[in-house]
Amino acid sequence: MCPWDPEPYTMPEDDLESLPGVGPATADKLVEAGFESYQSIAVASPSELSNTADVGESTSSDIIKAARKAADIGGFETGSMVLERRQQIGKLTWNIPGVDELLGGGLETQSITEVYGEFGAGKSQVTHQMAVNVQLPSEYGGLEGSCIFVDSEDTFRPERIDDMVRGLDDEVLQATMDHREIEGTPDDEDAMEELLSDVLDKIHVAKAFNSNHQILLAEKAKELARDHEDDEFPVRLLCVDSLTAHFRAEYVGRGQLAERQQKLNKHLHDLMRIGDLYNTVVLVTNQVASNPDSYFGDPTQPIGGNILGHTSTFRIYLRKSKGDKRIVRLVDAPNLADGESIMRVQDGGLKPE
Ligand SMILES: Nc1ncnc2c1ncn2[C@@H]1O[C@H](COP(=O)(O)OP(=O)(O)OP(=O)(O)O)[C@@H](O)[C@H]1O
Ligand SMILES: [Mg+2]
């Protein structure tokens, strides 16, 4: 189920010794500290690099500059290329009419959607449901695509995907089977088993062990999206659940706040780039501290503060309500009115009120 290597510290694919001032010993130290690619060095700060690799700060700056160049961060394209890309934007259904209406049709490709809320609000349920919905035929609101799931909290559960597939309407199930040329009907357990395993095969999961690893996985995700670009089921959804947990745990204390934000910002731009280049929905989750915590300020504000706010194009605040009900609130979306809708989290997945 995982065609890409989930191990954190593999041998570097990039030739670190081609960077100025990096010999074999420094290259080893960099790799040991988790800086194994141009991209991971490109996002480091000079002080961070000089501490871990034992080189002066000005040499660190040179190394970082060269790594940025080698990683090919940034770049220009023409206005017509941008236009052509914008015309490909797709909408991914929640299969909940009220929520789809709120979102103007569903989650957009080439955008980042941030789902935030307290524990148990249903953020991970949303990522699981979208990993199913993205695979549906387009006439049922899907994008006929596959999913990349970056899991930082060990929340991905294949069993939950099974529940959600079984929870689809028979008509949608039949169309999905037909689309994949699976013979049989939803009543036929063999056909269902075949469908379930095919759906799971189209979800590429990797666990992120720490924030640097998470940043590297975004790089891998880009390669994976590129490699599958011309497939029958190209990558149309990239989930990061949770986006912020590692960053929050690792960068504690006020002194590290700026560095944390800088890394998070870079990571988000990497994700955005994948969304743009490969026409994918980027769906990230963010926990809101449920007990008031003065360090993070207002408990109803998502972790990550402003930078995250400016980068994510759609922001959805999930709140628990009675029983299985959840309030889905759209916050600060461009060109869409703020508003709320209700969904239910049930055994068969996310359902209308
Ligand atoms: N099989 C199921 N049937 C019904 N409800 C379920 C099922 N599985 C999960 N849920 C509901 O989903 C809730 C968990 O939601 P979820 O894991 O998405 O929360 P979260 O927002 O990701 O929380 P956290 O911040 O801790 O990651 C459970 O409390 C339960 O109410
Ligand atoms: Mg969760």
Side-chain angles (χ1 to χ4, degrees):
M1 216 168 75
C2 184
W4 41 322
D5 188 357
E7 291 302 319
Y9 300 127
T10 47
M11 284 306 289
E13 283 169 25
D14 293 336
D15 179 16
L16 301 187
E17 289 178 40
S18 73
L19 298 169
V22 180
T26 308
D28 284 350
K29 280 185 191 157
L30 286 169
V31 172
E32 242 168 64
F35 296 108
E36 55 198 6
S37 64
Y38 296 141
Q39 185 157 4
S40 59
I41 295 170
V43 302
S45 68
S47 64
E48 198 184 355
L49 212 62
S50 83
N51 289 338
T52 46
D54 222 4
V55 292
E57 283 226 13
S58 75
T59 312
S60 291
S61 291
D62 292 344
I63 294 175
I64 291 167
K65 260 186 226 152
R68 284 192 183 150
K69 210 167 163 196
D72 189 22
I73 289 168
F76 289 93
E77 55 188 348
T78 64
S80 2
M81 286 160 80
V82 176
L83 178 65
E84 196 189 316
R85 211 154 31 72
R86 303 266 325 151
Q87 285 168 342
Q88 310 292 322
I89 289 178
K91 307 253 190 185
L92 170 58
T93 187
W94 286 48
N95 267 330
I96 301 171
V99 176
D100 284 341
E101 197 181 322
L102 195 65
L103 294 171
L107 299 177
E108 273 191 6
T109 63
Q110 302 178 33
S111 288
I112 296 186
T113 299
E114 174 196 356
V115 173
Y116 68 98
E118 63 170 28
F119 73 94
K123 303 179 294 293
S124 299
Q125 297 299 310
V126 172
T127 56
H128 280 70
Q129 185 72 59
M130 295 310 145
V132 172
N133 291 4
V134 72
Q135 303 192 25
L136 300 178
S138 52
E139 58 268 38
Y140 292 97
L143 297 173
E144 305 186 356
S146 59
C147 168
I148 295 179
F149 200 109
V150 175
D151 183 359
S152 74
E153 295 193 299
D154 197 16
T155 52
F156 181 77
R157 293 289 174 277
E159 303 80 11
R160 196 64 188 122
I161 297 292
D162 276 19
D163 293 345
M164 288 174 167
V165 172
R166 288 182 189 276
L168 294 168
D169 288 349
D170 274 357
E171 188 188 326
V172 179
L173 277 174
Q174 187 65 65
T176 307
M177 286 177 170
D178 295 346
H179 179 216
R180 293 169 199 237
E181 293 172 3
I182 294 173
E183 282 180 31
T185 64
D187 298 333
D188 172 358
E189 192 47 35
D190 287 344
M192 266 314 275
E193 290 289 339
E194 197 180 335
L195 176 63
L196 289 169
S197 98
D198 202 57
V199 168
L200 283 176
D201 281 344
K202 292 182 170 57
I203 305 176
H204 309 289
V205 188
K207 278 188 204 169
F209 294 99
N210 56 46
S211 63
N212 276 333
H213 185 219
Q214 189 173 319
I215 288 169
L216 291 175
L217 286 178
E219 205 176 318
K220 293 271 181 202
K222 189 171 162 190
E223 288 166 21
L224 193 64
R226 186 195 57 213
D227 294 347
H228 288 264
E229 200 175 8
D230 299 320
D231 282 14
E232 216 180 327
F233 283 76
V235 175
R236 288 281 174 263
L237 173 66
L238 169 58
C239 293
V240 184
D241 185 20
S242 139
L243 175 78
T244 44
H246 283 313
F247 291 89
R248 193 183 171 196
E250 291 164 30
Y251 296 85
V252 287
R254 290 201 174 275
Q256 287 179 292
L257 202 61
E259 194 176 331
R260 183 185 79 184
Q261 291 308 90
Q262 191 196 348
K263 286 240 171 172
L264 203 47
N265 194 19
K266 173 64 181 62
H267 182 43
L268 276 163
H269 279 98
D270 289 346
L271 298 174
M272 188 76 210
R273 185 98 185 116
I274 298 172
D276 279 349
L277 280 177
Y278 300 106
N279 198 23
T280 57
V281 172
V282 180
L283 177 62
V284 304
T285 68
N286 192 7
Q287 203 189 54
V288 174
S290 55
N291 32 348
D293 173 347
S294 61
Y295 170 57
F296 288 108
D298 182 347
T300 65
Q301 287 302 306
I303 316 300
N306 270 341
I307 289 182
L308 195 47
H310 294 317
T311 320
S312 53
T313 331
F314 296 92
R315 314 182 72 201
I316 294 169
Y317 181 31
L318 279 190
R319 254 176 16 255
K320 289 184 219 173
S321 182
K322 263 193 195 154
D324 61 1
K325 280 194 190 175
R326 298 291 188 277
I327 300 160
V328 184
R329 177 165 187 81
L330 182 67
V331 187
D332 303 333
N335 314 320
L336 287 173
D338 286 6
E340 286 186 352
S341 186
I342 306 271
M343 67 173 186
R344 289 176 185 272
V345 183
Q346 297 186 331
D347 200 38
L350 306 183
K351 299 290 170 191
E353 189 179 1

